[in-house]
Amino acid sequence: MNYLPKNKLKHSYFNRILILIIVFVLGAIVFSLIDSVIISSVSPLWKTENIVIKKFQNWNSIFDSQKKLWEENTFLKEKVSSLELTILALSGGKTQEEVLLELAGRKQRPDTVISTVLTRPPQSPYDSIVIDVGFRDSITLGAEVSLPEGPVLGLVSEVLPRSSKVKLFSSNGEETSAILERGNVPVTLVGSGGGNFKIALPQDVAIEEGDRILSADITGRLVAVVGEVNVSPTDSFKEVLAKSPTNIFSLRFVFVTP
Amino acid sequence: MIRRLFGSLIILISILFLPYWVYVPFLFLGIIFFPFFWEGILLALLIDFIHGAGVWGPSLLFTSFGFSALISLIILLPIRERLRTYA
């Protein structure tokens, strides 16, 4: 059996490592130049995929039993009436808020664009989404992305001609200034992926499960809901785990405010 | 060669349409299974550029899938070589 001399073997390793590094650097450069082209060309396929999945879900529901449908119907009716009440409760507050904003000369901008979500977690491992509006629809970098119901989700981080990438506030390591509604305490939400956040709060700050965390801007929109509070008696801080008010894995439509 | 091409194609399709818990294991299996799978770096970079948030800096570079694929391939080079030599 023939063995390669040690020096020759090392030389071959270095050559291969060099090739891999060159592939990495060139790949990063090329992809940074053509990623908009790739996303634009794949977007129609993502749209088709969304349509197919929706059709399949509808078709699948044929096989649901009558009892299950009846239960679902009752549950949905209850949910609708509960939501109607919530809307009524909120609308008064919203009118007050609008009056206040008008008095302060800070009216909300009406130029909101509705958009379809093309890719969402878990397709993306980074808690980012791709939406089907871009700079041709007057979307700008840093535009706010929210749910049709109001809660804020994230900011536009890259704008392409007909699509944009949105970095969700829950992206790992992403820090967002917010206000804890109970006691109006300013907090920093740290994204931990999967629509979750972590907050470190001093022990003496009152907080309970279900408390709302609002955006730090003048509109004070919902950003997260407190899910769990971990208190250790030896620690001067308590760890709060919060979650996005919506299931980010099933996002379909979002509003973008340029 | 055909198996390698077919494997790359499957990984590419899964990156575009399937959840990350499908394509990330596929990618790293490809890196382990195919010898000197440099295409893995390109596929991993594709994940970063398509699904990433679009802001690239030194901190993001070192936590990217592309960088992880590069490091995995570099680590696997001598291991694969030794496995073959003594096989």
Side-chain angles (χ1 to χ4, degrees):
Chain A
M1 189 185 287
N2 291 326
Y3 291 99
L4 276 173
K6 259 193 175 177
N7 279 345
K8 210 172 177 183
L9 201 67
K10 266 190 185 173
H11 193 67
S12 132
Y13 283 151
F14 284 127
N15 279 347
R16 285 177 169 204
I17 290 170
L18 197 69
I19 291 170
L20 291 175
I21 292 170
I22 290 170
V23 169
F24 177 72
V25 174
L26 284 180
I29 294 168
V30 171
F31 277 125
S32 66
L33 296 173
I34 61 159
D35 72 331
S36 59
V37 179
I38 297 171
I39 291 174
S40 305
S41 47
V42 180
S43 290
L45 294 173
W46 283 334
K47 280 181 193 167
T48 317
E49 185 196 10
N50 284 340
I51 294 165
V52 168
I53 287 173
K54 200 174 166 247
K55 282 254 162 85
F56 182 75
Q57 279 170 345
N58 289 342
W59 182 75
N60 204 27
S61 66
I62 294 168
F63 296 101
D64 284 345
S65 71
Q66 204 177 356
K67 195 187 169 198
K68 199 179 166 192
L69 284 174
W70 181 78
E71 281 170 0
E72 198 181 335
N73 194 18
T74 318
F75 169 72
L76 287 174
K77 273 180 185 166
E78 281 171 6
K79 200 172 175 183
V80 165
S81 57
S82 137
L83 285 173
E84 277 173 354
L85 275 173
T86 317
I87 289 166
L88 271 176
L90 281 173
S91 60
K94 198 165 184 182
T95 317
Q96 279 180 3
E97 187 188 291
E98 276 168 8
V99 170
L100 277 170
L101 287 173
E102 209 172 317
L103 283 171
R106 295 283 298 272
K107 279 181 99 173
Q108 278 180 295
R109 294 172 68 182
D111 48 352
T112 301
V113 180
I114 190 161
S115 157
T116 309
V117 178
L118 297 177
T119 67
R120 61 190 73 73
Q123 202 169 337
S124 154
Y126 290 110
D127 261 29
S128 62
I129 57 173
V130 178
I131 53 175
D132 72 341
V133 287
F135 64 71
R136 287 191 185 165
D137 308 281
S138 66
I139 302 299
T140 52
L141 202 68
E144 199 178 74
V145 176
S146 57
L147 284 172
E149 293 87 6
V152 203
L153 289 173
L155 302 174
V156 171
S157 60
E158 195 177 336
V159 190
L160 309 169
R162 286 195 183 276
S163 54
S164 309
K165 283 185 194 171
V166 179
K167 194 176 190 181
L168 301 181
F169 292 138
S170 57
S171 291
N172 196 23
E174 180 79 358
E175 293 191 357
T176 313
S177 298
I179 304 283
L180 179 66
E181 196 180 32
R182 184 189 292 264
N184 284 332
V185 184
V187 292
T188 304
L189 287 169
V190 182
S192 55
N196 298 308
F197 303 91
K198 277 183 187 168
I199 317 164
L201 277 178
Q203 284 274 20
D204 53 345
V205 173
I207 188 164
E208 271 179 35
E209 204 177 300
D211 280 357
R212 299 184 344 143
I213 298 164
L214 310 174
S215 62
D217 61 3
I218 198 163
T219 54
R221 287 192 284 169
L222 184 64
V223 179
V225 179
V226 174
E228 201 180 313
V229 184
N230 295 327
V231 189
S232 164
T234 52
D235 205 344
S236 54
F237 284 89
K238 52 185 165 191
E239 190 191 52
V240 178
L241 302 175
K243 58 189 175 191
S244 183
T246 185
N247 181 6
I248 60 161
F249 299 101
S250 58
L251 285 175
R252 283 189 62 210
F253 301 105
V254 287
F255 281 176
V256 189
T257 314
Chain B
M1 189 66 189
I2 291 170
R3 239 195 275 175
R4 196 178 169 116
L5 264 173
F6 191 63
S8 303
L9 195 69
I10 285 178
I11 297 168
L12 176 69
I13 291 168
S14 57
I15 287 171
L16 295 176
F17 301 108
L18 295 179
Y20 73 88
W21 39 263
V22 174
Y23 61 74
V24 173
F26 271 18
L27 176 68
F28 284 94
L29 277 175
I31 287 172
I32 294 166
F33 187 71
F34 299 116
F36 195 59
F37 191 56
W38 58 269
E39 299 95 320
I41 297 178
L42 298 179
L43 291 165
L45 282 169
L46 186 72
I47 298 173
D48 294 323
F49 279 93
I50 283 190
H51 298 301
V55 188
W56 272 72
S59 60
L60 259 176
L61 176 77
F62 295 118
T63 53
S64 65
F65 281 104
F67 193 73
S68 312
L70 173 70
I71 296 298
S72 312
L73 279 164
I74 290 174
I75 291 170
L76 277 172
L77 272 180
I79 295 172
R80 288 191 73 93
E81 202 67 43
R82 272 177 203 152
L83 281 174
R84 285 185 167 193
T85 308
Y86 298 110

